[in-house]
């Protein structure tokens, strides 16, 4: 799973938002683009490596190795 990068597209996330939040297609697509932009920002900062839908169909973030080290050191 560590090689996943951007496996959920804007359209995939928009459909997810329509299903889960009951919003219309246009607003779902705009919100999905905003989410993707945030993910790209987190990737640029080295916080995540990517995102994907898990086995239950929920959107998950894949933390970077550096983020995992920081989390492990705080425990």
């Amino acid at each position: 799973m560590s090689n996943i990068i951007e496996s959920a597209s804007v359209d995939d996330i928009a459909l997810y938002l329509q299903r889960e939040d009951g919003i219309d297609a246009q607003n779902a697509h705009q919100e999905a683009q905003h989410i993707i932009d945030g993910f790209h920002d987190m990737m640029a900062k080295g916080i995540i490596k990517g995102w994907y839908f898990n086995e239950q169909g929920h959107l998950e973030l894949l933390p970077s190795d550096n983020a995992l080290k920081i989390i492990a050191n705080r425990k």
Side-chain angles (χ1 to χ4, degrees):
M1 182 100 44
S2 64
N3 293 327
I4 293 174
I5 297 176
E6 301 182 34
S7 69
S9 69
V10 171
D11 291 336
D12 294 334
I13 294 172
L15 288 173
Y16 173 80
L17 292 171
Q18 285 179 277
R19 184 184 72 232
E20 295 296 316
D21 296 341
I23 59 179
D24 64 83
Q26 182 178 359
N27 286 324
H29 195 272
Q30 289 173 344
E31 183 62 26
Q33 186 59 59
H34 180 70
I35 290 168
I36 294 286
D37 292 344
F39 290 168
H40 283 285
D41 185 49
M42 287 188 278
M43 285 180 76
K45 292 177 180 174
I47 299 169
I48 65 170
K49 291 193 278 187
W51 55 91
Y52 62 97
F53 283 103
N54 67 17
E55 297 83 23
Q56 291 80 34
H58 296 178
L59 193 57
E60 296 279 340
L61 301 178
L62 185 62
S64 68
D65 294 336
N66 287 336
L68 290 173
K69 288 177 188 175
I70 292 169
I71 292 166
N73 288 335
R74 291 189 178 180
K75 289 184 179 182

